[in-house]
Amino acid sequence: MIELVRSGSGLEEGLTSDNKKFALLELYNGEIIGGAMIFIESNQVHNLGRIFIDPNYQNQGLGKKVMKKIEGSFPDSTKWWLDTPRWSVKNHHFYTKCGFTKVREEEDLYIFEKTF
């Protein structure tokens, strides 16, 4: 079972007033397997700053489950976006499988978005 543990005891406590960000730890059967950093730009637009899964737990479908849980934590969100290095083809594939679309390139980064 995938469980997200927010920084603080709840979503609101994990937010900071200056930049509205918080971290999530990803638990699988009680073991920490990764994490994520979310930046809230508005009530409906969120930036997935980072997401990572322990290599021992990759390629098992857990990343997609974690993404669904993260998105489900923000039911009012209308758009998510992220950037990832141009050279990180594995990331491009993962984000595309999660429903993101590459919308532009900025120097050595690809920008992906997902709208609801």
Side-chain angles (χ1 to χ4, degrees):
M1 172 191 348
I2 297 284
E3 179 184 357
L4 299 179
V5 178
R6 295 165 182 85
S7 58
S9 62
L11 177 61
E12 294 78 17
E13 292 179 41
L15 296 174
T16 60
S17 60
D18 58 341
N19 55 8
K20 297 193 177 193
K21 67 179 178 180
F22 71 95
L24 297 171
L25 294 176
E26 301 150 6
L27 302 179
Y28 180 63
N29 294 331
E31 184 176 342
I32 296 173
I33 63 164
M37 179 66 73
I38 311 297
F39 297 91
I40 308 215
E41 297 185 351
S42 74
N43 289 338
Q44 287 89 26
V45 178
H46 305 328
N47 168 245
L48 180 62
R50 296 290 172 259
I51 183 171
F52 51 93
I53 304 284
D54 181 317
N56 293 322
Y57 292 93
Q58 293 178 5
N59 300 312
Q60 299 176 35
L62 298 176
K64 278 183 70 173
K65 290 178 183 178
V66 167
M67 283 297 301
K68 286 184 185 220
K69 286 243 184 205
I70 290 172
E71 292 168 359
S73 296
F74 300 91
D76 295 333
S77 178
T78 58
K79 180 171 124 178
W80 283 87
W81 75 273
L82 59 90
D83 59 52
T84 189
R86 175 189 308 251
W87 54 263
S88 189
V89 177
K90 191 172 180 180
N91 284 0
H92 307 164
H93 179 70
F94 171 72
Y95 294 128
T96 300
K97 282 184 7 182
C98 290
F100 285 81
T101 303
K102 184 178 88 168
V103 294
R104 69 181 180 281
E105 299 178 27
E106 294 180 5
E107 297 183 19
D108 288 335
L109 296 175
Y110 284 175
I111 310 302
F112 283 79
E113 291 182 355
K114 181 176 183 177
T115 54
F116 297 90

